[in-house]
Amino acid sequence: MTPSPKNSQMLSIATSHDDFTYDLLVIGSGPGGQRAAIQAAKLGKKVAVVERKAVVGGVCINTGTIPSKTFREAIMHLSGYNERGLYGSAYAVKDDITVQDLLLRTSSVMSHELDVVRNQLHRNRIESINAEASFMGPHTVRLRDVRGHGDGWRDVTARHIVVAVGTKAARDPKIPFDGQRIIISDDILDLRELPRTVTVIGGGVIGCEYASMFAALGVRVTLIDKRPRLLEFVDHEITDVLAYQMRQNRMTLRLGEAVKAVEPFTDRLGQRVKVTLASGKEIVSDMVLYSIGRIGATDRLNLEAAGLSADERGRISVNGHYQTSVSHIYAVGDVIGFPSLASVSMEQGRLATCHAFGVPTQSVPELFPYGIYTIPEISTVGKNEEELTSAGVPYEIGKAQYREIARGQIIGDEQGTLKLIFHLDTRELLGVHIIGTGASELIHIGQAVMAFGGTVDYFVNTVFNYPTLAECYKTAAFDGINRLGSAPLLEPKLEPAKEVGEVV
Ligand SMILES: Cc1cc2nc3c(=O)[nH]c(=O)nc-3n(C[C@H](O)[C@H](O)[C@H](O)COP(=O)(O)OP(=O)(O)OC[C@H]3O[C@@H](n4cnc5c(N)ncnc54)[C@H](O)[C@@H]3O)c2cc1C
Ligand SMILES: NC(=O)c1ccc[n+]([C@@H]2O[C@H](COP(=O)([O-])OP(=O)(O)OC[C@H]3O[C@@H](n4cnc5c(N)ncnc54)[C@H](O)[C@@H]3O)[C@@H](O)[C@H]2O)c1
């Protein structure tokens, strides 16, 4: 992407002198902004991070990743969910779990993570500025005081700028959100009580994760999505297992259905909400969680002053180095769109800074993993069956069920599945897709083998600790090779094993 002639001229004027306030100015203190700033500080650059909220950490620490994952952990423990396979469906560590029980753990983890980030910024001598940033020119940013009356401001300049402003939840102006009965995911931390019934609108990652959590607590959940499948980008066999498990947890899935109206009402049973679908169905519940996606938080950035623009969902487009159309302005994290993960945002922040200051890097975005903390957990890396089929790549699969593995029996996970996809001719590992306990940790074994160009034979030739879930890799590899008929094992590419009896 090249700057327009007008912007190029502005650029050359501004970079003709060296007296910028900062070498790098980062807008937004979420995972993307933090890593961009720390990388620049490590290179000895003068750096500042601007954050409009009173606390640093972004959606990741304050409303998204950290609170939702801790909430989930508290639910898994207190509800005894993982032990139900062993001790029966009535097993629970605590009866009558309250929101307060769940939030106790959440707030302590959040405050610890906040300390870690604050310390990191401080230790690296990164200036942390509590203000709202907006562009006044391609190198000039206005910092508006958002504390107190919020009427003070000052302008600063920077040689390079990283925009890491993240996203905010999409809302429909016709829906009367009130933070208790009709909510977005940010409101979960402020709930006063747990609902008995919930309708989740939007079966994306956020909708599926929270729907699973509520269902594990025994809440009756209805999940609505306008698409016919949950989590469209995930291997369909894996999402079929998820949908089965959700239904086992008494969830009702209304897929391929559009929502016509969301109306709060009060009757003798108390305050409730009615969701009317375009098909005429009506769903009544205590609470509605609206999770139909997120939009880039670019509306107050005055992008035009820098020669930039955003699309209809507030996203900024970038090239492979995370440069926007104005080459010294980078954008990273959720504001650039898919995959919108904390893990990926961090890496993008680091890569953007390295590029800005001429530090060579290596990155393989095709091997970025995805961890989805539904119940059961899902994790994937590489290609799925649908992608390979539409690309015309010949492949075979190999599967292992957790119940075939001693560790699966020990922990009582009957549904867990690990699936390998490998090239039919070369046997190179093309994708790993897991649903079940520990999926988001287990995935990294497959990711490493893929990074080194390994084949499915690697798993056959490797000894895994016993009893572990990692053994699923070996079982799945045998399954895959057996599907090939009598084809012999290939020579392992990684760390060739010694012949039996060979003198070492
Ligand atoms: C409920 C939920 C659960 C999630 N779970 C996971 C998960 O399990 N794993 C995972 O990898 N990802 C998860 N994510 C996604 C993850 O949180 C995001 O990918 C990540 O936070 C994006 O980082 P970021 O740096 O782009 O922006 P953010 O974390 O969104 O931070 C952006 C910051 O910029 C600030 N800002 C915005 N505009 C301005 C301005 N004009 N001036 C100054 N400051 C500004 C904002 O206040 C905010 O603090 C989850 C998200 C949600 C909502
Ligand atoms: N574990 C994780 O890594 C994790 C967890 C939570 C969130 N996130 C990130 O946060 C981002 C936002 O998540 P999200 O779930 O809000 O968005 P999403 O884009 O993942 O899903 C939105 C869903 O809502 C559906 N939808 C849209 N409009 C609708 C309507 N009118 N009625 C019914 N359904 C409708 C879409 O079909 C889609 O399935 C994701 O991109 C994700 O990467 C990641």
Side-chain angles (χ1 to χ4, degrees):
M1 269 169 244
T2 47
S4 67
K6 188 172 147 231
N7 293 332
S8 306
Q9 197 188 5
M10 290 160 87
L11 263 171
S12 62
I13 294 166
T15 50
S16 63
H17 55 80
D18 238 340
D19 54 355
F20 294 109
T21 325
Y22 300 103
D23 296 316
L24 180 74
L25 184 74
V26 178
I27 308 178
S29 69
Q34 287 159 33
R35 293 302 161 107
I38 291 169
Q39 177 63 66
K42 297 288 184 206
L43 296 171
K45 305 295 175 188
K46 189 173 180 207
V47 197
V49 175
V50 190
E51 171 56 58
R52 68 175 165 199
K53 294 262 169 64
V55 284
V56 292
V59 164
C60 179
I61 292 187
N62 298 296
T63 49
T65 313
I66 298 295
S68 65
K69 301 306 96 86
T70 320
F71 203 73
R72 180 187 189 276
E73 203 61 36
I75 290 171
M76 296 302 274
H77 172 67
L78 293 173
S79 69
Y81 187 88
N82 276 341
E83 273 65 53
R84 287 183 199 164
L86 297 171
Y87 303 120
S89 58
Y91 177 81
V93 171
K94 184 178 189 294
D95 293 324
D96 303 323
I97 298 166
T98 64
V99 176
Q100 290 69 31
D101 293 329
L102 301 174
L103 293 184
L104 183 73
R105 192 157 170 170
T106 307
S107 49
S108 83
V109 175
M110 282 165 68
S111 79
H112 177 266
E113 287 300 296
L114 203 59
D115 272 353
V116 170
V117 173
R118 277 202 204 105
N119 273 335
Q120 267 178 352
L121 297 179
H122 182 69
R123 270 202 322 270
N124 286 287
R125 302 192 179 173
I126 295 164
E127 193 181 337
S128 198
I129 304 170
N130 185 198
E132 183 170 66
S134 57
F135 284 99
M136 299 305 287
H139 284 276
T140 309
V141 173
R142 176 156 297 180
L143 306 180
R144 201 171 58 79
D145 192 355
V146 278
R147 298 162 300 180
H149 300 296
D151 43 11
W153 54 264
R154 68 186 163 110
D155 288 345
V156 294
T157 57
R159 175 182 293 281
H160 299 286
I161 297 169
V162 171
V163 179
V165 293
T167 53
K168 52 190 178 182
R171 292 175 190 255
D172 180 340
K174 293 196 290 292
I175 298 180
F177 293 93
D178 60 9
Q180 289 296 322
R181 268 187 302 166
I182 307 181
I183 68 166
I184 56 166
S185 63
D186 298 1
D187 299 322
I188 293 217
L189 296 178
D190 298 317
L191 283 182
R192 288 190 287 273
E193 58 182 359
L194 283 175
R196 287 159 303 164
T197 50
V198 172
T199 305
V200 177
I201 302 178
V205 190
I206 294 180
C208 286
E209 285 189 354
Y210 275 118
S212 304
M213 291 185 224
F214 282 118
L217 282 170
V219 174
R220 281 302 266 265
V221 179
T222 304
L223 179 59
I224 304 165
D225 201 293
K226 63 180 182 185
R227 294 188 186 152
R229 297 193 67 86
L230 297 171
L231 304 171
E232 192 65 54
F233 61 95
V234 177
D235 190 279
H236 290 181
E237 197 171 356
I238 297 293
T239 48
D240 285 345
V241 178
L242 176 68
Y244 172 80
Q245 277 292 103
M246 285 176 153
R247 291 189 173 108
Q248 290 294 102
N249 285 338
R250 305 196 312 160
M251 206 186 289
T252 304
L253 302 183
R254 294 271 173 244
L255 303 179
E257 295 258 24
V259 171
K260 205 165 91 184
V262 179
E263 299 156 301
F265 67 96
T266 304
D267 65 4
R268 64 186 173 77
L269 292 175
Q271 298 188 323
R272 295 187 295 154
V273 191
K274 182 170 83 177
V275 175
T276 310
L277 303 183
S279 62
K281 295 185 193 74
E282 291 182 353
I283 302 152
V284 170
S285 58
D286 293 345
M287 191 181 94
V288 165
L289 169 64
Y290 195 72
S291 53
I292 65 144
R294 297 181 63 91
I295 47 173
T298 45
D299 51 334
R300 293 168 64 86
L301 269 182
N302 195 24
L303 289 174
E304 301 71 34
L308 294 172
S309 58
D311 69 9
E312 73 294 345
R313 290 187 69 88
R315 290 171 299 210
I316 300 176
S317 48
V318 291
N319 65 15
H321 300 298
Y322 305 101
Q323 287 173 293
T324 65
S325 56
V326 178
S327 60
H328 69 273
I329 304 180
Y330 292 75
V332 301
D334 286 11
V335 74
I336 65 170
F338 192 81
S340 298
L341 297 174
S343 51
V344 173
S345 304
M346 293 179 207
E347 181 66 351
Q348 292 170 345
R350 184 183 76 82
L351 294 171
T353 297
C354 285
H355 187 263
F357 297 110
V359 177
T361 53
Q362 248 189 336
S363 169
V364 191
E366 303 76 49
L367 292 179
F368 289 169
Y370 215 113
I372 303 173
Y373 297 86
T374 40
I375 301 170
E377 188 173 313
I378 292 175
S379 198
T380 76
V381 67
K383 300 286 183 211
N384 61 39
E385 286 207 58
E386 292 73 31
E387 288 167 332
L388 291 169
T389 302
S390 67
V393 177
Y395 66 84
E396 187 49 274
I397 64 163
K399 284 197 290 184
Q401 310 289 340
Y402 282 21
R403 63 173 172 270
E404 305 169 78
I405 309 288
R407 173 61 64 187
Q409 285 297 325
I410 292 168
I411 63 174
D413 187 334
E414 291 279 315
Q415 302 300 329
T417 304
L418 181 146
K419 172 171 162 181
L420 303 177
I421 307 185
F422 57 95
H423 196 285
L424 194 60
D425 305 323
T426 66
R427 300 190 185 196
E428 186 180 342
L429 190 61
L430 301 174
V432 182
H433 307 272
I434 313 174
I435 182 164
T437 309
S440 57
E441 301 282 355
L442 275 178
I443 201 75
H444 299 115
I445 298 174
Q447 182 196 34
V449 173
M450 286 172 71
F452 287 101
T455 65
V456 68
D457 305 271
Y458 167 79
F459 300 114
V460 172
N461 294 315
T462 297
V463 173
F464 291 91
N465 278 328
Y466 177 86
T468 60
L469 289 176
E471 261 197 285
C472 284
Y473 277 101
K474 195 167 180 120
T475 304
F478 277 128
D479 177 58
I481 286 168
N482 290 341
R483 286 171 198 246
L484 297 177
S486 57
L489 288 183
L490 286 188
E491 282 301 311
K493 264 191 167 177
L494 300 172
E495 290 289 310
K498 297 274 180 285
E499 291 294 323
V500 176
E502 189 182 340
V503 179
V504 184

